Amino acid sequence: MSEIAEELKITKASATTGINKLVSLGYAKKSQSTQDKRIFHVTLTKSSETFIRLNQQALEEYVAFISHLLTPEEVEQFKKTLEKLIKGFYQKNS
């Protein structure tokens, strides 16, 4: 949980709550280490892998749809605008 919390820049309690929610939804499995009972290993389930794959596919289709609607110049401007928005959201949440 500490590694997950550190990577996501959240508290360990938030990471634990989030992982427990994913476990209850069937998207993750949590197993206690046999060597050190303080350590838990978190893995994705087949359901989560399917969800990630479908989400990625939908995103790729969305990008292709937008790319066909816009000119190459508009695509570049759209990318720059998205990058600026994403950067702004990350700065706001830091």
Side-chain angles (χ1 to χ4, degrees):
M1 293 303 165
S2 297
E3 289 176 24
I4 292 170
E6 185 178 319
E7 183 67 27
L8 296 175
K9 296 177 177 57
I10 59 175
T11 65
K12 187 177 172 186
S14 293
T16 300
T17 300
I19 293 299
N20 288 341
K21 181 68 173 180
L22 290 173
V23 169
S24 72
L25 292 170
Y27 290 127
K29 290 181 190 176
K30 190 167 73 168
S31 58
Q32 195 170 27
S33 170
T34 56
Q35 297 173 351
D36 186 341
K37 299 295 183 187
R38 298 170 298 170
I39 296 174
F40 285 86
H41 301 283
V42 179
T43 56
L44 298 177
T45 63
K46 292 236 185 257
S47 295
S48 64
E49 292 171 0
T50 300
F51 176 80
I52 291 167
R53 184 176 40 78
L54 291 173
N55 194 350
Q56 182 65 33
Q57 181 181 348
L59 181 58
E60 288 170 5
E61 289 173 6
Y62 182 66
V63 169
F65 175 74
I66 290 173
S67 295
H68 284 97
L69 291 176
L70 304 176
T71 66
E73 295 80 18
E74 290 170 329
V75 168
E76 277 307 307
Q77 185 60 46
F78 185 67
K79 284 180 186 178
K80 288 178 184 178
T81 301
L82 282 178
E83 288 170 0
K84 188 173 184 179
L85 288 170
I86 291 167
K87 184 178 179 182
F89 283 121
Y90 276 116
Q91 287 174 347
K92 180 183 176 197
N93 293 324
S94 303

